[in-house]
Amino acid sequence: MLSSLGSVGGKSAKPSFVSYVTPEEIKSEKEPSRKEKHPDLLPGEVVFCSASTVLKYTQDDLSQRGVFGALLCTNFRVSFVSDEAPTEEMVRTLFKNKLYGENDIPLSCVDNIYGDKRKLITGGLVKNKYPSKIIIHCKDLRVFQFSLSFSKEEDAKKIFQGIVHHCLEPKSLRCLFAFSYCENTSYPGSYSYCREHLRKKQTVMFDSVEDWTQDMKRTKGNCRVVSENSNFELSPKLPQYFIVPTNVSDEDLTKYQGKGLPMWCWSHHSGCALFKTASIPLVQEDNVCCRMLTAVAHNHLYSVKTEDLSDTLPTVQDILLSYNKFKQFFLIDNTTEFWMSDMKWFSSLDNCGWLDIIRQCLQKAVEVVESLEKENTNVLIMEEGGSDLCCVVSSLVQLMLDPYYRTLLGFQSLVQKEWVAGGHAFLDRSNHLHLKDKVESQSPVFLLFLECVWQLQQQHGPAFQFSETYLTVLSDSVHVPVFTTFLFNNDSHRDSLLRAESPHTQRSPLNCPTVWDWSVQFDCKAQDLFTNPLYTEKPKQDTSVRKSYRPRHLRQLSLPSSAFKTPPKKGFFKDEADNLKKILGVKRLSRWMLSPSSDSPQTSSSVREFYEAWQTKPLDYHGLLLPCLDGPSIRVWMQRYLRWIHDVQILGGGPVAMLSKVSEILGEVQELQRQLDRHGCTLTSNHKGARPRAKTAAAVIAARSSVRLSSSFPFVTSRNWSFKPAIPTSLLQSLMVTGIPGNLADREDDGGPESLV
Amino acid sequence: MVLFLTGHYPIVHVFCNSVDSTSTSRSDRSAHAAKTPYAMSSDNVSTSTEFSPELRVLRDSNKEEPQLLPKESVQDMAKDVTYICPYIGALRGTLTVTNYRLFFRCMDREPAFVLDLPLGVVSRVEKIGGASSRGEVSYGLVCKDIRNLRFAHKQMEDSLRKSIFEILMKFAFPVSNGLPIFAFEYGQVYPENGWKVYDAQAEYKRQGIPNESWRITKVNDHYEVCDTYPSNLVVPVNIPDEELKRVAAFRAKGRIPVLSWIHPESQATVTRCSQPMVGVNGKRSKDDEKYLQAIMDANAQSHKLFIFDARPSVNAAANKMKGGGYESEDAYQNAELVFLDIHNIHVMRESLRKLKEVVYPNIEESHWLSNLESTHWLEHIKLILAGALRIADKVESGKTSVVVHCSDGWDRTAQLTSLAMLMLDGHYRTIRGFQVLLEKEWLSFGHRFQLRIGHGDKNHTDADRSPVFLQFIDCVWQITRQFPAAFEFNEYFLVTILDHMYSCLFGTFMCNSEQQRVKEELPKKTVSLWAYINSQLEEFTNPLYVNYSNHVLFPVVSMRHLELWVGYYIRWNPRMRPQEPVHQRYKELLAKRAELQKRVEELQRDVTNRSASSTERAGSPTRSITPVQTFV
């Protein structure tokens, strides 16, 4: 009796996978149209197979109702085309991706496929059988559930095998959609126009000597641009163009296939710089290692710190393992499962370690920032390969130190510089090709970087010109196999493939869009959501400068002073250089070579002090930014991970409620500014000065303020949702009581211990 | 400036000698500004004025003594006291104790370090160990606001002289020492009498009561039916006062079901009460059954009544042993009973104790989230929010009336009804509306603040103490986080309410019931917290507030969206400096807009002056004086 009273919520918590719609019901309900349905195919897109009368479950519904339609597999995507005519509201979805819709899954976005009884399906295993129900987990965290039991057996078998084949089995790079897409679009033309445009004012691609020279000049670096590898003669593993310390000789360049070459990343205004390198194989260690270190040290004050990231940060495998656990929390098949997992949410989150990995990367970056900013020493970070955690750490360091990289174009240039030109093996890390021998190398390193950026952005919103939505979209775009940005392992790989695939023989390589050509995916209005309304422009007085231009006394302010007991390391001078060489000769690089006293715990406490000293100074959004690394400050990227889960959508709330208000008033301010300009014109009778009406995100959001927005804005619109709150459905109490000490739970609310029941 | 550089912003204070309320507001503002330091673009006009009050505090803090409030007097002062700060380390300075506060100041540091807290937040003072090798005695102060303070001073050579901490004990626990609570002495005059914020009749009138189904009864005018209830009660029209008395006999402590809120359209109601006195034998009361039927009948939209029992069903059943219990569905024909599984005050107290261990003074680097989970604090918050959500959902979506109770109906019941009302009625999301909500659901309906907080009482182990109200405010904060534009007040408002619940500066949270407050003549003898708050509303206003008053808020009660309230529980840790960049940015934009509007107007005046006769482009400039409206 009691138990039945115990929880009314339990009524809805019954196992939910029982109430299939029977075929008879379908007939009476709706005659599925026999006509073949297609999505609007993209240029170069070909349908491989299809099945009609497939039921797509609406996952946000306990009753397991669904929509009938056709399921197709093309060379680009798995697509579900509903039999129901789209309502007008659905047509004008706000944040529509031009390449794929809400019921499309690009093939490389498929993460895992499950069959009946949630059995994981692997390629090659299936012959004649097919499951009645398939669940597709996507890399952008969507979950699709399809029932094949109402389709013709032949169709069902075909579509199942097709999907499995194209999503899970090994294929060659040339089969990726990008190649047929680019061959078949008129895009190359407009693209080359865009490229010209990019050259002038936009994302710096770092595919020319000029780009590198300019970036070095911008940061006042004093290193050597290497163009000897423009045809990959030095090494196909090295970038086409790169920068090394001036002391690196031509001989060194050719000798070691790039390994151990210190590559310049960024110069601090004090003159010291950040370099990264791939670790050197043990045999060759002594000689090269020493010469390279000396070369780096020569850059500024003969000082250098080295940091082997392989020793101190998780490996790419650790990262993958942790992320695989983490993502499971968000790939929700049904509501009951969701509320069950809600109870142990915090400890599960803790145990998967993902937030901790983010924290470690940020912490490492802060350590490097400290060396550059406080001690003014050169820093050389290294790891095997030199293009994974080196990219994460070096990019984060630059984001913290250099406000240029916190602008939208600056950030894109940073990704080009450190990741694309920097030779991050995007193809191997994403394993789009499902190659068996590459399974080991798969790892979401770039996503880890975006996660770290998101943390910084959460903590210091007004410092970033781009929005959270921008980062989320960027993380999704990695799995859309159209952009050259994410399809290759390095420059030479990209160059050789694009050249080989070009229809115009050897002349010009195939022109494919980069991810930065956002108009390929989104129209202008949607792109407005990429900018952060909280961003405060740099004060006008010093638009063209970095921090070096700040007056002396201001700089002192931003530097921690009395809080530090240890005086800044001075580096060492000529006669001490021999000493260094001796150390090097004897030992493999130890961490933080010049301050051997600072081992791990001390480093971390030093970072704490560095943070605290920075924190007591007034915050300058255009100066140095440091993240708070304490437990409560490192958070889950809600927008990315929770956007598809119906039960956690906050209707009428979420950050958008706040941002739309800010956008609104920003729009008003801009409007007033325009009026002022116009008046100025009237007064001086100069009509040319009137600025064209700039598009703002304000307009976009404000225009929709009448619509009920939710916390998953702009990814999901609230049209389908009933206005009913999600009420937790689980046996909350029974589990919790176990955690309550003694018999407190049984006590009466009033009176002392004698009234124990 | 001092405050924020040291990272120790003491509890918000009203430093002033005079009756001048502007100086009150300014020093308070400084304490607030100290919590949200920022450096912004130079084109923000207001920056310089924002910072100036801080300089004032800096100047003030060069004195060893605090600025005293009216009727505040220094009781003792000791030099060479060491404050052992968990973040900075040992600090040597002067300690002052007044009849209201503890004030510690260290002059050796630049900038000077100041610790300033009302004695009301002190829960316990204990001497730690004996005299140490250095001849020092050490004292620990356990505070109600999630921190502990540790002091040490030289052993007194003159053993006759009392240690300053003995004086402190005396004034920290006035009730135990036969002294008046400071609120009864504090005589600050504010422009508004805060005791007038809540007028029960006016509030019921706002809700449309009396109406054809509900009436206001005077049966409890002299608190004779129920001494823990207010004098104004709303009951169904067709139940005469005599029957009410019989119902009272069947409800614990005489707390009969009365109306808290009525839906303006559906007429579905939220009513609250205590448990029925069912007992082991399953006693029934025809009057009570008829009464609940009347509540159901008052709502024509539904033929059902939901009874939400806040307790876990096991506890509700166990209450039968003591004569209490819950409504059986046999006796109450059209009622459906739901247990909300919220635990009792002892469990909550224990949970907060654990939470304090986890967050103060430092957060352990590893396993922060697991440690947080092990306190169960957010789990309790989730259950309370989930309960309130179910109530709000039944009333709003189900158009069904609900009855809410726990055992006595003054702890969990108050949490549930007030949170549900906050979700359902936008009026309660304004600053004044929220004050009304607290006055009504918490104060007038007898949440026992004196017992739950233990104002001025040294008996810190009292089993009646419990953070029930803190939990409620935490729940409110969780909802404001999910709906950042739906509340007129900001986080600082919530923190201020909590701080002054402990501070004993205002009379608002004194006593246990309306009857006691009337008896003690609180409105006459003390100042209301609302007088202070309403004298400087700007401090407490959320600039992003959008008044969508007819909008029901359904917060998401998943752990995914619940967060530990860092700005309250971890505010003493200087590393976790709270940030309000959005609000800051918004205020900047407002200033910018005002400036631009002014300039536009000036220009327009210029234009009209120069070309009094119209030009070919006239129309637009003169008409566009207020382009602002186009967006709003």
Side-chain angles (χ1 to χ4, degrees):
Chain A
M1 183 63 200
L2 272 181
S3 60
S4 75
L5 287 169
S7 137
V8 165
K11 280 186 180 170
S12 46
K14 67 187 173 201
S16 48
F17 283 85
V18 283
S19 53
Y20 287 121
V21 188
T22 62
E24 297 87 276
E25 276 176 283
I26 313 152
K27 290 270 163 55
S28 61
E29 221 172 72
K30 180 178 234 165
E31 190 60 40
S33 55
R34 290 278 148 226
K35 203 180 76 191
E36 274 286 290
K37 291 214 169 198
H38 279 295
D40 296 329
L41 295 180
L42 295 171
E45 187 175 5
V46 185
V47 178
F48 290 142
C49 49
S50 69
S52 53
T53 339
V54 172
L55 180 70
K56 174 182 167 277
Y57 294 108
T58 41
Q59 49 165 315
D60 46 15
D61 199 325
L62 269 174
S63 66
Q64 292 288 298
R65 269 177 294 141
V67 190
F68 282 96
L71 190 62
L72 301 97
C73 181
T74 77
N75 56 346
F76 170 55
R77 60 186 145 177
V78 174
S79 181
F80 176 80
V81 184
S82 168
D83 290 343
E84 280 169 23
T87 64
E88 200 183 314
E89 221 183 337
M90 280 169 89
V91 175
R92 53 172 183 87
T93 313
L94 161 69
F95 204 58
K96 196 173 178 317
N97 192 311
K98 294 195 223 165
L99 295 180
Y100 61 100
E102 59 175 352
N103 287 326
D104 298 331
I105 315 161
L107 297 181
S108 19
C109 187
V110 172
D111 195 11
N112 281 313
I113 302 176
Y114 299 89
D116 292 328
K117 293 176 190 154
R118 222 169 179 285
K119 195 177 151 210
L120 182 68
I121 295 180
T122 47
L125 197 123
V126 277
K127 277 285 170 278
N128 279 317
K129 282 193 281 182
Y130 68 94
S132 61
K133 177 176 177 180
I134 55 174
I135 304 176
I136 301 181
H137 287 181
C138 303
K139 288 180 178 167
D140 60 10
L141 302 154
R142 288 181 295 169
V143 175
F144 289 90
Q145 302 184 37
F146 298 110
S147 170
L148 302 178
S149 26
F150 312 114
S151 311
K152 275 190 281 180
E153 196 180 323
E154 251 168 81
D155 288 354
K157 199 190 295 174
K158 229 189 262 168
I159 190 75
F160 175 67
Q161 285 170 355
I163 290 174
V164 170
H165 177 78
H166 292 289
C167 295
L168 300 180
E169 280 170 21
K171 56 174 132 183
S172 90
L173 181 58
R174 287 175 181 81
C175 293
L176 284 184
F177 181 63
F179 295 96
S180 61
Y181 176 70
C182 299
E183 277 168 25
N184 288 286
T185 39
S186 52
Y187 191 73
S190 64
Y191 178 54
S192 45
Y193 163 73
C194 273
R195 271 181 91 80
E196 277 320 299
H197 201 55
L198 285 176
R199 279 276 167 273
K200 278 177 198 123
K201 214 201 152 216
Q202 300 208 351
T203 309
V204 185
M205 302 302 282
F206 288 92
D207 56 0
S208 68
V209 176
E210 297 80 57
D211 286 354
W212 284 97
T213 315
Q214 198 154 18
D215 199 55
M216 193 169 61
K217 270 191 192 152
R218 192 183 64 83
T219 60
K220 311 220 165 349
N222 186 26
C223 293
R224 170 188 166 191
V225 182
V226 178
S227 57
E228 280 85 343
N229 203 35
S230 61
N231 289 318
F232 308 103
E233 286 142 352
L234 292 176
S235 160
K237 288 189 173 152
L238 283 171
Q240 210 165 1
Y241 307 97
F242 54 95
I243 298 179
V244 294
T246 28
N247 273 35
V248 173
S249 66
D250 284 350
E251 198 191 336
D252 290 331
L253 286 178
T254 50
K255 222 167 188 176
Y256 297 105
Q257 295 276 302
K259 286 212 167 167
L261 257 187
M263 317 276 266
W264 174 88
C265 299
W266 185 79
S267 283
H268 187 257
H269 56 76
S270 66
C272 62
L274 174 64
F275 297 88
K276 63 180 175 188
T277 186
S279 319
I280 316 155
L282 271 168
V283 244
Q284 299 153 340
E285 178 180 346
D286 295 356
N287 213 347
V288 187
C289 166
C290 189
R291 275 222 304 287
M292 290 308 144
L293 269 179
T294 319
V296 171
H298 264 274
N299 180 60
H300 179 69
L301 284 178
Y302 302 102
S303 62
V304 60
K305 276 187 173 186
T306 66
E307 173 72 26
D308 193 337
L309 301 178
S310 321
D311 293 348
T312 52
L313 290 180
T315 64
V316 289
Q317 284 80 30
D318 294 338
I319 294 168
L320 176 69
L321 278 176
S322 173
Y323 182 70
N324 279 345
K325 283 190 214 153
F326 177 71
K327 75 181 176 196
Q328 291 306 327
F329 304 143
F330 309 101
L331 295 163
I332 303 293
D333 295 346
N334 70 71
T335 312
T336 318
E337 188 191 305
F338 172 82
W339 287 107
M340 283 301 291
S341 68
D342 203 47
M343 289 190 290
K344 289 282 157 206
W345 166 242
F346 287 118
S347 49
S348 326
L349 201 55
D350 218 2
N351 293 337
C352 80
W354 181 244
L355 293 182
D356 203 49
I357 290 177
I358 294 170
R359 190 197 328 274
Q360 289 179 48
C361 291
L362 284 166
Q363 161 133 359
K364 188 56 67 188
V366 174
E367 284 171 24
V368 174
V369 168
E370 187 187 1
S371 304
L372 292 166
E373 173 80 12
K374 195 183 104 194
E375 294 164 20
N376 297 154
T377 55
N378 296 301
V379 177
L380 176 64
I381 51 176
M382 55 176 79
E383 75 179 311
E384 200 196 328
S387 60
D388 289 302
L389 290 161
C390 272
C391 298
V392 174
V393 172
S394 72
S395 322
L396 288 174
V397 167
Q398 294 173 61
L399 272 169
M400 291 178 196
L401 281 162
D402 192 338
Y404 165 66
Y405 293 123
R406 294 175 221 143
T407 63
L408 193 115
L409 292 176
F411 181 75
Q412 299 188 157
S413 306
L414 181 68
V415 173
Q416 279 297 131
K417 177 166 95 168
E418 292 299 324
W419 294 83
V420 181
H424 175 67
F426 278 109
L427 184 66
D428 287 354
R429 292 292 174 242
S430 61
N431 199 14
H432 282 327
L433 307 180
H434 302 282
L435 302 177
K436 293 281 178 284
D437 57 331
K438 296 287 184 191
V439 171
E440 289 288 292
S441 57
Q442 201 175 339
S443 185
V445 181
F446 185 64
L447 175 65
L448 174 63
F449 164 64
L450 295 182
E451 282 263 18
C452 294
V453 177
W454 183 85
Q455 304 289 343
L456 275 170
Q457 196 197 40
Q458 273 316 97
Q459 295 189 19
H460 306 293
F464 292 85
Q465 191 187 26
F466 48 89
S467 64
E468 176 183 26
T469 302
Y470 171 82
L471 288 176
T472 306
V473 167
L474 184 56
S475 75
D476 289 345
S477 302
V478 174
H479 312 297
V480 183
V482 168
F483 311 110
T484 53
T485 318
F486 303 124
L487 288 184
F488 306 99
N489 283 331
N490 52 45
D491 274 354
S492 68
H493 188 213
R494 177 178 300 105
D495 191 75
S496 62
L497 270 150
L498 289 180
R499 207 173 285 280
E501 288 302 309
S502 169
H504 316 293
T505 64
Q506 299 288 327
R507 286 278 169 72
S508 59
L510 190 65
N511 260 335
C512 283
T514 70
V515 72
W516 317 125
D517 298 313
W518 289 110
S519 52
V520 174
Q521 291 191 80
F522 298 99
D523 62 23
C524 294
K525 265 190 187 162
Q527 284 184 51
D528 282 345
L529 294 171
F530 290 172
T531 53
N532 171 14
L534 292 173
Y535 180 64
T536 38
E537 302 264 341
K538 219 180 268 189
K540 289 196 177 69
Q541 292 89 332
D542 50 349
T543 40
S544 61
V545 282
R546 292 178 44 233
K547 231 169 54 186
S548 50
Y549 277 55
R550 284 159 95 191
R552 191 75 194 155
H553 65 279
L554 274 181
R555 242 192 69 66
Q556 288 299 339
L557 257 184
S558 82
L559 274 176
S561 49
S562 57
F564 297 98
K565 277 157 217 128
T566 43
K569 288 276 184 293
K570 289 253 164 50
F572 50 93
F573 298 96
K574 268 276 188 242
D575 45 328
E576 284 174 292
D578 292 336
N579 198 14
L580 168 70
K581 282 175 190 164
K582 254 182 237 158
I583 300 168
L584 294 176
V586 180
K587 248 175 90 188
R588 188 167 165 79
L589 313 178
S590 63
R591 304 182 345 90
W592 303 121
M593 186 170 317
L594 289 187
S595 49
S597 59
S598 59
D599 49 3
S600 185
Q602 272 165 318
T603 311
S604 120
S605 82
S606 142
V607 162
R608 271 181 97 92
E609 278 180 26
F610 181 60
Y611 176 78
E612 278 165 17
W614 170 81
Q615 194 199 23
T616 54
K617 307 287 183 285
L619 182 55
D620 175 8
Y621 286 121
H622 297 285
L624 174 65
L625 277 194
L626 294 180
C628 178
L629 299 172
D630 288 54
S633 301
I634 303 293
R635 318 216 325 242
V636 174
W637 185 353
M638 296 294 187
Q639 188 192 51
R640 175 175 154 82
Y641 293 104
L642 296 183
R643 59 192 153 150
W644 314 116
I645 304 174
H646 169 253
D647 278 15
V648 289
Q649 300 318 326
I650 307 167
L651 276 177
V656 65
M658 185 158 63
L659 291 178
S660 62
K661 192 88 161 93
V662 176
S663 302
E664 209 173 281
I665 194 158
L666 186 69
E668 287 170 24
V669 166
Q670 285 167 347
E671 175 62 31
L672 282 165
Q673 191 68 58
R674 272 192 293 277
Q675 277 189 32
L676 266 182
D677 293 352
R678 206 156 56 221
H679 281 301
C681 298
T682 326
L683 284 177
T684 57
S685 304
N686 176 9
H687 297 267
K688 282 175 215 158
R691 267 198 270 158
R693 216 188 136 85
K695 262 281 164 196
T696 59
V700 182
I701 303 178
R704 282 175 175 76
S705 56
S706 57
V707 185
R708 293 174 52 83
L709 301 176
S710 84
S711 56
S712 43
F713 178 87
F715 294 94
V716 178
T717 45
S718 53
R719 56 170 196 270
N720 306 329
W721 295 340
S722 55
F723 190 53
K724 265 196 78 70
I727 289 171
T729 57
S730 49
L731 347 105
L732 296 158
Q733 173 227 3
S734 53
L735 275 169
M736 204 183 64
V737 163
T738 58
I740 292 168
N743 43 15
L744 283 178
D746 304 332
R747 279 169 68 177
E748 255 315 285
D749 263 7
D750 291 288
E754 76 279 358
S755 62
L756 290 179
V757 178
Chain B
M1 210 51 143
V2 181
L3 307 180
F4 109 70
L5 284 177
T6 56
H8 275 251
Y9 16 86
I11 191 169
V12 171
H13 261 299
V14 187
F15 298 99
C16 61
N17 289 315
S18 67
V19 207
D20 172 17
S21 70
T22 54
S23 81
T24 317
S25 110
R26 296 182 102 210
S27 44
D28 255 296
R29 168 192 286 266
S30 71
H32 181 43
K35 295 174 67 177
T36 55
Y38 65 100
M40 281 290 164
S41 62
S42 54
D43 51 23
N44 177 9
V45 206
S46 64
T47 312
S48 55
T49 52
E50 286 261 348
F51 273 105
S52 61
E54 288 190 17
L55 296 175
R56 214 181 75 88
V57 176
L58 184 63
R59 209 172 52 239
D60 293 346
S61 64
N62 283 329
K63 286 185 276 175
E64 300 228 314
E65 284 176 45
Q67 284 214 352
L68 299 180
L69 298 170
K71 305 281 173 60
E72 185 183 3
S73 56
V74 173
Q75 303 297 325
D76 197 6
M77 197 177 204
K79 289 192 192 297
D80 290 332
V81 174
T82 308
Y83 166 56
I84 300 141
C85 171
Y87 308 108
I88 303 174
L91 296 158
R92 187 155 281 238
T94 307
L95 182 67
T96 310
V97 171
T98 75
N99 51 348
Y100 170 64
R101 84 182 80 197
L102 171 154
F103 187 83
F104 173 83
R105 203 181 140 65
C106 165
M107 300 291 276
D108 304 340
R109 287 173 62 90
E110 192 49 52
F113 174 89
V114 172
L115 182 72
D116 183 347
L117 81 155
L119 294 175
V121 307
V122 178
S123 164
R124 137 164 73 130
V125 181
E126 54 186 24
K127 199 168 173 178
I128 302 167
S132 73
S133 54
R134 289 160 61 208
E136 292 205 319
V137 267
S138 176
Y139 292 89
L141 271 60
V142 178
C143 298
K144 294 169 182 172
D145 60 0
I146 327 291
R147 60 179 158 163
N148 297 330
L149 305 171
R150 209 170 148 183
F151 294 93
H153 68 65
K154 282 239 156 52
Q155 184 82 55
M156 290 296 151
E157 282 169 19
D158 174 8
S159 57
L160 287 177
R161 218 203 126 185
K162 276 188 177 172
S163 156
I164 188 166
F165 288 95
E166 287 167 57
I167 307 288
L168 185 141
M169 295 260 254
K170 188 172 154 199
F171 287 93
F173 308 117
V175 172
S176 307
N177 291 296
L179 292 166
I181 284 178
F182 186 71
F184 288 93
E185 300 181 59
Y186 175 60
Q188 181 75 40
V189 176
Y190 289 96
E192 182 186 333
N193 179 356
W195 291 105
K196 296 240 155 50
V197 160
Y198 175 61
D199 171 352
Q201 306 239 3
E203 165 60 16
Y204 289 123
K205 198 174 167 204
R206 186 189 68 86
Q207 295 188 19
I209 285 171
N211 62 14
E212 66 279 8
S213 313
W214 295 90
R215 66 183 179 103
I216 300 178
T217 171
K218 297 281 175 194
V219 74
N220 203 36
D221 239 9
H222 301 289
Y223 309 104
E224 279 159 352
V225 173
C226 174
D227 59 359
T228 56
Y229 259 9
S231 57
N232 283 291
L233 296 175
V234 176
V235 295
V237 162
N238 51 0
I239 305 289
D241 284 355
E242 276 318 300
E243 282 180 39
L244 290 179
K245 287 178 187 165
R246 291 203 294 274
V247 173
F250 188 65
R251 290 277 164 180
K253 314 272 194 315
R255 294 171 68 93
I256 56 171
V258 292
L259 178 139
S260 278
W261 190 78
I262 183 164
H263 195 285
E265 281 147 28
S266 70
Q267 305 286 300
T269 54
V270 177
T271 46
R272 58 181 291 173
C273 57
S274 59
Q275 62 181 338
M277 301 307 281
V278 173
V280 268
N281 299 323
K283 211 171 84 187
R284 288 174 61 165
S285 159
K286 281 278 163 253
D287 295 300
D288 196 69
E289 287 158 25
K290 182 186 166 198
Y291 189 85
L292 290 199
Q293 184 65 37
I295 290 174
M296 194 193 87
D297 292 342
N299 169 19
Q301 303 263 358
S302 171
H303 300 291
K304 228 180 166 169
L305 182 71
F306 272 87
I307 301 173
F308 286 98
D309 188 329
R311 302 166 291 186
S313 57
V314 186
N315 298 43
N319 259 288
K320 288 184 176 174
M321 305 297 291
K322 297 180 63 207
Y326 51 88
E327 294 83 354
S328 80
E329 282 173 357
D330 296 337
Y332 298 84
Q333 289 265 313
N334 297 308
E336 189 170 330
L337 184 69
V338 180
F339 291 104
L340 294 177
D341 297 337
I342 301 169
H343 280 279
N344 67 28
I345 62 167
H346 311 291
V347 174
M348 302 310 186
R349 183 177 58 236
E350 176 63 14
S351 174
L352 183 66
R353 190 190 62 74
K354 281 193 193 156
L355 180 67
K356 185 171 175 177
E357 270 175 15
V358 171
V359 299
Y360 188 88
N362 285 306
I363 299 159
E364 207 182 304
E365 294 240 333
S366 57
H367 305 303
W368 150 248
L369 291 170
S370 300
N371 291 341
L372 178 63
E373 187 177 271
S374 70
T375 71
H376 296 289
W377 183 256
L378 286 175
E379 214 169 324
H380 295 310
I381 297 288
K382 171 179 161 176
L383 281 171
I384 296 166
L385 280 170
L389 180 69
R390 292 174 78 166
I391 293 169
D393 178 44
K394 272 285 165 285
V395 173
E396 174 68 23
S397 323
K399 298 183 172 147
T400 310
S401 292
V402 299
V403 174
V404 184
H405 72 73
C406 47
S407 296
D408 294 310
W410 49 45
D411 292 310
R412 288 169 272 197
T413 302
Q415 290 176 332
L416 291 167
T417 54
S418 52
L419 285 170
M421 286 157 75
L422 201 63
M423 295 172 195
L424 289 164
D425 189 340
H427 175 66
Y428 299 124
R429 292 173 226 142
T430 64
I431 291 181
R432 280 171 186 276
F434 191 74
Q435 295 170 0
V436 167
L437 183 70
L438 294 191
E439 287 281 351
K440 182 177 184 302
E441 289 304 301
W442 288 85
L443 292 159
S444 85
F445 276 98
H447 174 68
R448 308 203 293 169
F449 280 100
Q450 175 63 43
L451 275 173
R452 296 286 177 256
I453 311 297
H455 295 306
D457 185 349
K458 71 175 178 191
N459 183 15
H460 62 84
T461 54
D462 190 342
D464 270 325
R465 293 199 185 176
S466 187
V468 175
F469 186 74
L470 168 63
Q471 274 186 322
F472 160 70
I473 295 290
D474 193 330
C475 290
V476 174
W477 179 83
Q478 303 285 353
I479 307 176
T480 62
R481 269 193 54 81
Q482 295 193 15
F483 300 93
F487 291 82
E488 192 191 11
F489 49 83
N490 56 19
E491 178 180 19
Y492 180 56
F493 175 74
L494 297 176
V495 173
T496 304
I497 290 174
L498 288 176
D499 281 347
H500 283 302
M501 175 172 70
Y502 300 124
S503 78
C504 293
L505 183 60
F506 300 101
T508 303
F509 297 108
M510 301 284 135
C511 300
N512 290 319
S513 64
E514 189 178 292
Q515 185 200 27
Q516 286 182 11
R517 275 178 211 106
V518 170
K519 194 171 146 243
E520 296 285 333
E521 298 182 287
L522 280 177
K524 225 163 90 186
K525 293 183 175 166
T526 68
V527 179
S528 161
L529 172 60
W530 315 131
Y532 160 66
I533 282 181
N534 293 343
S535 71
Q536 42 190 12
L537 283 175
E538 205 195 312
E539 287 301 310
F540 304 106
T541 306
N542 170 15
L544 300 169
Y545 176 55
V546 184
N547 181 6
Y548 24 61
S549 48
N550 293 325
H551 193 112
V552 177
L553 304 184
F554 287 136
V556 172
V557 295
S558 158
M559 282 296 181
R560 269 78 161 177
H561 277 305
L562 299 187
E563 236 179 84
L564 186 72
W565 186 8
V566 170
Y568 183 76
Y569 301 103
I570 320 190
R571 62 183 160 151
W572 311 118
N573 186 336
R575 294 168 60 80
M576 300 299 297
R577 196 164 60 187
Q579 288 173 336
E580 274 189 296
V582 178
H583 295 203
Q584 212 52 259
R585 168 81 167 136
Y586 192 75
K587 281 183 177 166
E588 269 171 44
L589 285 171
L590 283 176
K592 180 101 184 166
R593 182 178 69 177
E595 184 204 314
L596 288 174
Q597 271 170 336
K598 219 178 98 196
R599 279 171 55 194
V600 167
E601 280 166 33
E602 277 166 13
L603 274 171
Q604 279 163 348
R605 229 172 294 133
D606 266 17
V607 171
T608 26
N609 289 349
R610 278 200 199 183
S611 50
S613 58
S614 66
T615 64
E616 77 282 5
R617 303 170 5 98
S620 59
T622 35
R623 233 176 283 149
S624 54
I625 298 172
T626 52
V628 178
Q629 265 85 31
T630 55
F631 274 100
V632 179

